[in-house]
Amino acid sequence: MSYTLAGQTLRSRFFLGTAAYPSPLILQQAIAAAGSELVTVSLRRQLQPGSLPSDFYRIIQHSGARLLPNTAGCRTAREAITLAHMARELFNTHWIKLEVVGDDYTLQPDPVELLEATRQLLADGFEVFPYCTDDLVSCQRLVDAGCKVLMPWGAPIGSGQGLLNPWALRTLRARLPGVFLVVDAGIGTPAHAVQAMELGFDAVLLNSAVAHSPDPVRMAQAFRLAIESGRLAWEAGIMPCQPMAVATTPVTGNPLLL
């Protein structure tokens, strides 16, 4: 079923990163297997010596996916703002995945610098997709600033630990019902993606779990099926947990004698 994201109609809820694949061909095949219509790219990586942006652009154009540049590696609001403007010029898009890291060990977003950059970029006409933590107050500040999309982490980037705090993510979903929520970072297995979607999140963004698999293409397909399954379960309605056994057949009344 299609949905609208920042004015664009999409069907896939699987957003895919494009770093660390064994080859451009495998990246191309993984995007196809994932069915992704939105892929992210680090502008810093594309500007590194020896990078092949022309090859990358051809892959994205062939896939038909929309490009979402990100500001990975930025440490301050000013740095992220500058990079976002460069991305708009180079990629011809006003969409930006905003990353402002505050800690080298966990790569946790800096909530103060992130909010400052968000406010400025929104004023500059960007559609901002902020990578943030699962802290409700920080997320609410971003929404109050004008964000329509949030990308809270499940766990530290690249860790593969899954959803470390389902309660916090569930709280975000309940308290921010009108916001498009994407679990971003920490996803390691398709089961983690199912869990995120069953919590009511709108999409999942991941990179390492596919790129670092011995078979990225098959893993991309596995995640595609998992995300579709989790979303379908959420839409169907998941039964509530019970504190004790609940029989599916009557245990009282008259027995049936034949």
Side-chain angles (χ1 to χ4, degrees), residues 64-136:
R66 186 182 180 100
L67 191 63
L68 177 64
N70 68 59
T71 62
C74 290
R75 306 287 174 173
T76 67
R78 177 174 295 183
E79 188 179 12
I81 291 167
T82 299
L83 199 60
H85 279 272
M86 292 176 63
R88 183 160 63 179
E89 293 297 321
L90 289 173
F91 297 115
N92 191 31
T93 179
H94 67 290
W95 286 17
I96 191 73
K97 181 190 173 190
L98 182 60
E99 299 185 32
V100 186
V101 171
D103 179 72
D104 291 334
Y105 182 73
T106 63
L107 299 181
Q108 181 171 331
D110 184 321
V112 176
E113 296 291 316
L114 181 65
L115 182 58
E116 179 182 343
T118 295
R119 286 170 172 162
Q120 183 60 57
L121 290 173
L122 287 169
D124 292 342
F126 284 86
E127 193 72 54
V128 179
F129 295 57
Y131 166 60
C132 53
T133 67
D134 54 15
D135 179 74
L136 174 61

